Each structure stands twice: as C-alpha cells, then as structure tokens.
Amino acid sequence: MSEVSKGLENVFIKTTSLTYIDGEAGILRYGGYDINDLVENCEYEEIIHLMLFGDLPSASQLQKIKEKTNESYNVPYQVFEVLEKLPHDADAVGMLETAFSMLSSFYNYPWKKDENKWRAIEIIAKTSTLVSNIYRIKEGMKPRLPEPSDSYARTFLETAFSRRPSDEEVKAMNATLIIYADHEVPASTTAALVTASTLSDMYSCMVSALAALKGPLHGGAAEATFEQLKEIGDQSKVEEWFDKKIIKEKNRLMGFGHRVYKTYDPRAKIFKKYAEEIAKTPEAKKYLRIATKLEELGIKHFAEKRIYPNVDFYSGIVFYSLGFPEYMYTTLFALSRVLGWLAHIIEYVEEQHRLIRPRALYVGPIKRDFVPLKYRE
Ligand code: CMC
C-alpha cells in the first residue's frame, strides 16, 4: 500500500451497468445503447427508466414514469421563500445547493430497496421545479409550480419562461437532458458516492455532487467556455486571442480536454449539431462561428497531446439559443445529471455497499518530542 494515484486516475471505485466509455475510440453508451441513438430517438423519461430500471421502457412503463414525474413537481413553499431572500446576484448553483439542503430536511428518507428508485424520480421532478424557479427568481419573476405536460423537457422550459416552447426548443432541451444524463464516475458522482456510502440521505448526496460539479474543471466549464467566446467577441479575433491567451500565457482552453477521452468527446459532436440547428439569431450565429474557428485552432494545437473538444465546448451555444443566461449553465448540467448521480448511488448502495474510506500516505515527520509553548521559538 505505497502508491498514490494522483487524482484517483485509473482507480475503479465500483462496477456499473449504467454507462460505458471507451476514451480511446470516443464511444459513450448508456446500458449498451449508443448515445447518438438515444439522443436521436428517445425522450429523457425513457433514459430515466433505462438508468434506474436497467432497460428502455415499454409504452406503459414510460407512461408510469411520466405520471410519477408529473405528480412530483411540488416543492414546499418555504424553499421558494428562502431562495427569494437570497441576494439578487446569488450564485445559481449555490441556490440549488441551498434548495437541495432544505429538501433533505423535509424528505430525510432512509434507504429502502422498494422505494429508492421512485424517490429518485421525485428528486428528478423537483430538480426541474428548482432549476426553472432559480432562473425565474434571478430574473425577478414570481416562483411558480410546473404545470404537468406530455414531456419533462417541455414542462421545464414552460415553467422557466412562462410561454409555450417550440417543438425545436423542446427537442434541443430533451437532447441536452440525455447528453448530460450520466458519465460514469466524474468528480461530482464520486462525491455523491462518498456521501451515499455513509448511508446519508439522497438529497444530501445531491448537495455533495453539486458542490463538486460547480468548479470550472467540471460542470463550471460550460459557462467558462462561453465566457471565452464572449471575450473573443468576433471570429476575426480568434487567432490573436488564441496566440495570446493559450499559447503565450498558457491558460487552459476551456471546453477542451478530458480525463477519459483521448479523442473527440462524442457528446461534443452532438452538441455541435444541435448548436448549428438552434443558433438562429445573429448573435448566436456569431458565437457559433467563433467556436468553430476556436475548435479548429485548438485541435491543430492540442491534437498531439490528445486534447480535444469535450461536452462543454458547444453546450453553451445551445443553452444561449434556448434563452438561458450563462449563470444558469451549470444548473442546467445538474438538472440532467441528477439522474446519473441517483442511478449510481442506488446501484452502489443496493448492490455493492461499503463505506468509502480511502487512506492518505503519511509523509510527515515520523516522531517528534513535544516542546511546551514557552520553549518554542
Ligand atoms: N487546455 C490546455 N492544456 C490542457 C487542457 C486544456 N483544456 N487540458 C489538459 N491540458 C494539459 C495540461 O496542461 C497538462 O499538460 P502538461 O502535462 O504539459 O502539464 C496535461 O494536459 C494534462 O492535464 P491534467 O490536468 O493533468 O489532465 P486531466 O486528465 O486532469 O484533465 C481536465 C482533465 C478536464 C481537468 C482538463 O482537460 C481541463 O482542465 N480542461 C479544461 C476544463 C474543461 O473543459 N472541463 C470540462 C471537462 S468535461 C465535462 C465535465 O467533466 O464536466
């Protein structure tokens, strides 16, 4: 026991039947199904069933998932009251952490095998209510409970914007939800697993996961990537910006690189396609042009180090085109990823449970004689 794996690289913390990643070939599958097929053909609710119950649902199983989400959107009014009292410029992820932490005091359910998966669906529904209302509150609108519809994606957009979204917007939102739904055990899922391993409640696990997601090296990268596009400002400035910021100043190119993928992240390709479809305004098209040029330069410069665009490179343009401000990007990631967090902690607690308690290799002084304060220099 004398090797430290820095960043826990290549350490297997659990087995899983949820998500398969081939980082060399750029392949991502949920339960054996290719991510491209799922995004093209499924509703997010089908992925909820796949992740929690192990299979794509039949029509009647899908109906049951939809009924359960539709009846679970309510959250206690005290949560809205607290969110409304936070400063106007409160961080959106911080607001979601606050809300989850409040819900852990309302719904502090113990783990029970015949209830866990249905509790998870309740959390997924309530996350939609929370994220849409964080947007509303920050934009000065009154909080409102969602009105159930035929789709989770549609209900979310309708609640946030108080208007009927177009079919194209629902399609893009649904794709976003599926693309981000799970990614094996990144930092946020690992944080949730550590908390779940103590048998803490599911909402507390979501708080842990969110805290880890927030950082710019993980879920915060979508916002940071979009910031880059804004900073560059115009397609004609990309080369100059890249030369100064990335080559000379050696800053990280946000939206590039991944611990597991050593080639193009397949999710980045799907987001690019949706960005191209949904970027309609001159401003959105401008960001798309900047991103496309930046991608070209990034690949030219970094391909040798096997650093390629990741999921967050184009997602911001989709979020922007849907009408969300940058401060919402990480919460939109979380809205989808709660599914992966919950599916992994349930898989772990129900099938493989053991307290997660690693060791730290001590490298300090072995033994020292104690010196009373008055004799210390
Ligand atoms: N720009 C410039 N250099 C990079 C980048 C990048 N985006 N990513 C990795 N590198 C370099 C890094 O400087 C280091 O170089 P050297 O060996 O010369 O010191 C080498 O690649 C290895 O870096 P690392 O940080 O040890 O590698 P990692 O496996 O921990 O990297 C990462 C993963 C995501 C932290 C990193 O690629 C990164 O910081 N990317 C930018 C932030 C980002 O886009 N994050 C989203 C990740 S995907 C979605 C998600 O997880 O939420």
Side-chain angles (χ1 to χ4, degrees), residues 18 43-53 64-75 96 100 103 107 109 115-133 146 151-153 155-157 159 173-174 177-178 180-182 202-203 206 331-346:
L18 300 170
E43 287 187 281
Y44 182 59
E45 292 90 320
E46 294 175 72
I47 310 305
I48 295 178
H49 193 281
L50 174 63
M51 289 284 173
L52 294 178
F53 298 97
K64 222 168 152 193
I65 299 284
K66 291 192 175 202
E67 280 165 15
K68 179 67 182 168
T69 40
N70 275 337
E71 72 192 31
S72 307
Y73 282 124
N74 63 308
V75 300
L96 189 54
F100 275 151
L103 291 186
Y107 310 112
Y109 301 123
E115 289 179 10
N116 295 335
K117 291 170 181 170
W118 298 103
R119 296 273 181 235
I121 297 174
E122 289 169 13
I123 296 175
I124 291 165
K126 292 186 199 317
T127 306
S128 169
T129 310
L130 296 175
V131 174
S132 52
N133 276 287
S151 108
Y152 183 85
T155 302
F156 173 71
L157 292 175
T159 313
M173 187 67 224
N174 184 66
L177 288 165
I178 297 178
Y180 274 124
D182 187 43
M202 284 190 192
Y203 276 109
M206 298 301 98
T331 60
L332 292 167
F333 186 152
L335 172 69
S336 159
R337 185 57 61 83
V338 278
L339 171 56
W341 294 336
L342 289 160
H344 274 283
I345 61 176
I346 291 172

Side-chain angles (χ1 to χ4, degrees), residues 55-98:
D55 261 321
L56 285 171
S58 64
S60 66
Q61 287 169 329
L62 178 59
Q63 192 50 33
K64 222 168 152 193
I65 299 284
K66 291 192 175 202
E67 280 165 15
K68 179 67 182 168
T69 40
N70 275 337
E71 72 192 31
S72 307
Y73 282 124
N74 63 308
V75 300
Y77 71 91
Q78 291 93 332
V79 176
F80 291 147
E81 279 185 350
V82 167
L83 293 183
E84 281 187 295
K85 286 201 174 104
L86 293 173
H88 181 66
D89 61 352
D91 180 82
V93 184
M95 290 170 82
L96 189 54
E97 283 170 355
T98 303

